[in-house]
Structure formats: C-alpha cells, structure tokens
C-alpha cells in the first residue's frame, strides 16, 4: 500500500469521516456548550490528565458511532456487488483489507490527535506548570479504541453484509456502553456492572478529582483487549472462507480473557491518586499540591497574613497552617475539618473568585468558620455559611461594619438572609469584648462539628 493509493482511498471513500466526526463533534461539545468540563481544577483545559480523561469520557458516544461508521464502510463491496469479483484477483485478501483499514486508522488517529492537540495547547497556555507523562497512555488507549472499533465494525459488516448490520452494531454497543458507564457518585468512579467488565468500555467517568488518574493495570488490560478486537476485525475483513471467519473470533476472545485477568476488580485499583501531582509544595506554613504549584506565590503571603489574624482571634485554638484540600469523598458527603489547618479547595467557587486582600478575608473566614459541606462546583454550597463567615471575618479583621464576602452570582445573598446577618452583627458587636470572643470560639467549634454556625454566633441553641 503506497502513498498514492492511500490518498485516493482517503479522497474517494468514507474513510476520513469517522475522524472528522470525532474531531468536530468533540470540539463542538467542549467549545459550544458551557458544561462542567469548564469548571474547577478538573476542567478539560485545566490539567493534562483531566484533559485526556475528558476526551476519553466522550467515547461513550463516539465509540459506538465509529463502530457503526466502520460497518457502513465495510459494506462497500457488497453494495457495489464487487465482492465476488475481487476475490478472483491475485492480490492477497489481507492486502486488500489493509487499504480501507489503514485509511480509516489514519483518519481516526489524526482526528483524535488533533483534538488532543487543541486541548494540550490550551492546557500549556493556562496557569498550570505541572506536566506529567501519565496522560499519554490515557490518550493512546483512546486512539487505539477508535481504530480497533472502526476496523471491527468493518470486519463484522464484511462477514455479515446486511444493511441492518451498522445500526444493529451501534445500538448494541451504545446500550452496552450505557450499562458499563461509570459514574462519579462515590469517592471513586464506579459502574453498576462488575468493575472488570466495566473496564472493557474505553469510556471513562467524567473527571471530578484533579488528582485521580488511571492505573497501569487498566492501561495494560485495555490495550490487550483492544488489540484482540483490532486483530479480529482485520481477520474478518480479510477472511475469504467460513472457517477463517470462525478462527477470526479467537483474538478478541483471547484479548478479553487476558484483560479480565489483569483489570482491577475494585474501583480503588482502577482510579488511583497521582502521587507526583499530590506531593505538597510549601512556602512556610502554606502548602499546595504540585499540580497547583502556580497558585502558591499568591496564596502564601495571604495565607500567612490570615494565620496571624486567626491567632489573635482564637489564641491557642487557632490553625497553624494553610493547606490545599486533597481528600477524596463521595458526592454530597461532608468533609472532616481538622482544627489546626485551614483547608483550601481550588474547586470552591469562592476560592476561584477571590484574590488580593479579599483572599485574605476568605482565608480568615475559612479558618474561623470552615465549611464542611460538599465542595465541587456543581454540588452547591449552603448560603447560610456565607453570612456567618462574613460576620466572623469582619469581626476578626476589626471592621467597623459588616463586610460581605465577595461571592459569585450563584451564591448571592437573599435580602432576608442578609438582613438577618446584619441583625446578628449588630448584636454581636454590642456585647462585651470577652463575650464577643466567646461567641466566635463557639462558632468555630460548631463549624468543626458541622453544626449551625449562625446559631452559635447569635447565642441560640444549635440544633
């Protein structure tokens, strides 16, 4: 197969279209829809690993479609009624099969490669300075899955030359993908199907934790399975006899068997913490992960200033360090709050929208009345915490009037809530100094126990 023949095949066949669909469809989803892939530290252009995982996530839709398009391409000979004629030519069947398979593989690899290139350029131009190599296997396995799926579809259509073959394959694989699809409801992504079986799908769960990546055993197991699928597809595409078609099933069965032996049985072996990304980088008492090292120059001086304010407000019970929150937990789960650390979560919308002096105010608020609720941007955050934190921060910073934390529009104060906060502020500042300090200490203890902070500030009984 020389370059001239390959160019003709790409120009005059359906081979380029699967790659075009994957590239254009993925960019349309990522660039035209304001989804969760643009939010937080696990956004598709925020980090290299999350970029690779987001492109893998879309395979839940593209993989069945690519297999179906490959099947349509594989029906070319039967539609043109040239299958019998081509079998009489002296050219070996495997060489005839190599041309459409190679053209499709080239188109898909190019389309997906351009998608990764677009994402990679945006990541490189972003704020992150952390560049791991662990994202490469994630993307390489994704490209292999697209090529193997398309060639498998071509082979099945060649073996079963019916107009019903492409839609039947698409529907079957789409339903299978949905059954095997992983969700992020727990601390680690999981599926309703057994974990080993779920890993046979090339699609991954949507990234929610920046520090999570796929383990090496997943890469190896999926590679073996997909290579078996590719070999079976090519063998079916070049098979000329019934016996050859039956033997062609052996590679995919062997690949699946080996993969099921290698793939992890539990979600904890599938998604693992990237230890290099999670390594803490510190400037005195202020620490962030290696993946967010670019944020340390701004956070460090503000964190040190906040710790001094907290020391004056809480005395010996004050936190003595500021650290990025790296705990993994399920959706909706509260987080455990250590009393000696101010936890900073860069997925918290308040953290993402604060800078300068306002960042110091936010850190003081987090140290006095830390939020124990869910932290990812699409889970929400209780509005009652924000007025209470505003009161505590204003008191600790010595403000003469209540200064609200600067929050994004989605967390705007309602008139009733802010009116109550003003009343609570006036009552607090009217108390003797010792009583004010006692109320702040009670609010701090209530926050660490995940109780009603506002009730502690106003002197009411906490439910």
């Amino acid at each position: 197969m020389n370059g001239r023949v390959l160019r003709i095949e790409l120009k005059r066949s359906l081979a380029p279209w699967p790659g075009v669909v994957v590239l254009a469809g993925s960019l349309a989803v990522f660039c035209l829809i304001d989804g969760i892939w643009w939010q937080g530290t696990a956004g598709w252009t925020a980090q290299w690993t999350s970029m690779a995982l987001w492109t893998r996530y879309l395979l839940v839709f593209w993989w069945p479609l690519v297999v179906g398009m490959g099947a349509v391409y594989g029906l070319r000979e039967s539609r043109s009624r040239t299958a019998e004629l081509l079998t009489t030519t002296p050219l070996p069947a495997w060489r005839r099969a190599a041309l459409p398979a190679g053209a499709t593989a080239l188109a898909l690899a190019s389309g997906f490669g351009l998608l990764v290139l677009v994402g990679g350029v945006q990541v490189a131009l972003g704020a992150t300075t952390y560049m791991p190599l662990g994202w490469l296997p994630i993307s390489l396995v994704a490209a292999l899955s697209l090529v193997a799926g398309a060639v498998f579809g071509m082979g099945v259509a060649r073996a079963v030359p019916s107009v019903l073959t492409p839609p039947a394959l698409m529907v079957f694989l789409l339903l299978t993908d949905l059954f095997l699809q992983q969700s992020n409801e727990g601390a680690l992504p999981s599926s309703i199907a057994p974990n080993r079986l779920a890993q046979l799908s090339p699609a991954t769960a949507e990234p929610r934790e920046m520090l999570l990546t796929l383990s090496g055993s997943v890469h190896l197991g999926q590679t073996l399975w997909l290579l078996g699928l590719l070999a079976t597809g090519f063998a079916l595409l070049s098979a000329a006899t019934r016996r050859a078609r039956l033997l062609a099933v052996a590679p995919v069965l062997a690949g699946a068997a080996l993969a099921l032996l290698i793939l992890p049985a539990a979600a904890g072996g599938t998604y693992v913490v990237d230890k290099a990304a999670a390594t803490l980088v510190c400037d005195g008492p202020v620490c962030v992960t290696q993946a967010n090292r670019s944020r340390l120059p701004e956070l460090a001086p503000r964190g040190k200033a906040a710790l001094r304010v907290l020391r004056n407000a809480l005395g010996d019970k004050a936190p003595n360090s500021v650290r990025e929150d790296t705990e993994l937990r399920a959706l909706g789960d509260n987080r455990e709050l250590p009393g000696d650390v101010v936890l900073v979560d860069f997925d918290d919308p308040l953290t993402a929208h604060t800078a300068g002096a306002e960042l110091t105010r936010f850190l003081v608020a987090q140290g006095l009345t830390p939020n124990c609720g869910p932290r990812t941007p699409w889970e929400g955050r209780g509005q009652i915490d924000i007025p209470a934190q505003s009161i505590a921060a204003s008191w600790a910073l010595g403000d003469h009037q209540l200064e609200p934390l600067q929050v994004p529009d989605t967390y705007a104060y309602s008139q009733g809530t802010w009116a109550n906060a003003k009343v609570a502020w006036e009552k607090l500042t009217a108390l003797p100094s010792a009583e004010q300090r006692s109320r702040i200490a009670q609010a701090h203890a209530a926050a660490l126990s995940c109780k009603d902070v506002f009730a502690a500030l106003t002197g009411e009984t906490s439910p």
Side-chain angles (χ1 to χ4, degrees):
M1 183 174 59
N2 56 44
R4 178 174 174 272
V5 175
L6 183 61
R7 286 195 299 272
I8 293 174
E9 182 73 12
L10 288 170
K11 185 184 296 185
R12 299 182 179 179
S13 71
L14 295 175
W17 285 104
V20 172
V21 168
V22 170
L23 174 61
S26 298
L27 290 179
V29 171
F30 286 139
C31 299
L32 300 181
I33 302 176
D34 186 16
I36 60 175
W37 41 83
W38 286 112
Q39 302 176 13
T41 57
W44 96 283
T45 59
Q47 299 285 348
W48 290 95
T49 300
S50 59
M51 180 273 294
L53 288 173
W54 272 117
T55 56
R56 283 282 294 268
Y57 168 73
L58 290 185
L59 293 185
V60 70
F61 309 109
W62 300 143
W63 200 60
L65 182 61
V66 164
V67 174
M69 295 180 74
V72 172
Y73 190 19
L75 291 176
R76 180 176 60 174
E77 293 180 6
S78 64
R79 289 200 311 269
S80 59
R81 299 181 180 180
T82 59
E84 186 176 350
L85 175 63
L86 291 174
T87 57
T88 62
T89 62
L91 192 67
W94 69 268
R95 292 190 61 182
R96 293 199 309 272
L99 180 60
T104 304
L106 179 61
L108 280 168
S110 300
F112 188 78
L114 286 173
L115 172 64
V116 173
L117 179 62
V118 170
V121 168
Q122 294 187 69
V123 174
L125 295 177
T128 184
T129 58
Y130 176 66
M131 185 177 178
L133 296 178
W135 68 273
L136 283 173
I138 300 174
S139 294
L140 290 175
V141 171
L144 175 61
S145 71
L146 290 171
V147 172
V151 174
F152 178 74
M154 295 167 64
V156 172
R158 177 75 170 79
V160 187
S162 168
V163 294
L164 297 178
T165 299
L169 273 175
M170 287 179 58
V171 171
F172 173 76
L173 289 177
L174 182 60
L175 293 176
T176 302
D177 258 4
L178 293 176
F179 172 70
L180 300 179
Q181 186 179 14
Q182 303 163 56
S183 67
N184 258 322
E185 295 179 358
L188 294 173
S190 61
S191 171
I192 58 174
N195 191 69
R196 283 196 175 101
L197 192 62
Q199 298 310 305
L200 295 181
S201 170
T204 59
E206 69 276 12
R208 184 170 61 88
E209 297 283 354
M210 172 200 63
L211 299 177
L212 286 182
T213 187
L214 293 174
S215 66
S217 57
V218 173
H219 299 319
L220 178 59
Q222 290 183 337
T223 299
L224 292 174
W225 145 248
L226 292 170
L227 287 175
L229 190 69
L230 176 62
T232 290
F234 189 77
L236 288 174
L237 190 59
S238 57
T241 63
R242 179 175 296 180
R243 182 171 180 271
R245 294 189 186 99
L246 291 175
L247 291 175
V249 182
V252 70
L253 295 179
L258 289 174
L260 291 174
L261 291 175
I262 296 173
L263 291 171
T270 301
Y271 290 88
V272 296
V273 173
D274 185 341
K275 294 182 180 179
T279 301
L280 291 179
V281 180
C282 299
D283 182 347
V286 182
C287 300
V288 298
T289 60
Q290 183 70 251
N292 282 320
R293 185 171 188 168
S294 59
R295 299 176 183 263
L296 187 59
E298 180 184 12
L299 182 66
R302 299 298 175 182
K304 294 173 184 177
L307 290 176
R308 289 193 294 268
V309 174
L310 292 171
R311 180 72 178 180
N312 292 332
L314 296 174
D316 294 338
K317 295 184 179 180
N320 53 33
S321 63
V322 176
R323 177 173 56 81
E324 181 180 349
D325 187 4
T326 58
E327 179 190 3
L328 303 178
R329 61 180 182 275
L331 289 175
D333 279 3
N334 292 334
R335 61 177 176 179
E336 295 183 5
L337 298 171
D340 60 341
V341 177
V342 179
L343 293 177
V344 175
D345 194 327
F346 294 113
D347 277 329
D348 192 318
L350 268 69
T351 308
H353 288 76
T354 52
E358 188 59 33
L359 179 57
T360 303
R361 179 178 293 273
F362 172 71
L363 293 174
V364 170
Q366 278 292 92
L368 290 173
T369 56
N371 177 41
C372 70
R375 61 186 174 94
T376 55
W378 54 90
E379 291 172 24
R381 173 183 170 123
Q383 291 190 16
I384 190 64
D385 288 338
I386 301 171
Q389 289 183 335
S390 299
I391 294 171
S394 295
W395 179 88
L397 292 169
D399 296 333
H400 296 293
Q401 61 181 6
L402 178 59
E403 296 290 339
L405 293 175
Q406 300 300 315
V407 296
D409 291 340
T410 51
Y411 296 101
Y413 305 98
S414 66
Q415 291 184 353
T417 300
W418 189 237
N420 292 336
K422 287 183 176 180
V423 172
W425 166 258
E426 292 173 357
K427 289 182 177 179
L428 176 67
T429 54
L431 295 173
S433 177
E435 181 63 21
Q436 292 180 32
R437 188 173 295 274
S438 175
R439 290 281 180 88
I440 293 297
Q442 292 174 26
H444 179 66
L448 294 179
S449 303
C450 210
K451 295 181 179 179
D452 191 340
V453 176
F454 204 81
L457 283 173
T458 57
E460 300 172 4
T461 303
S462 179

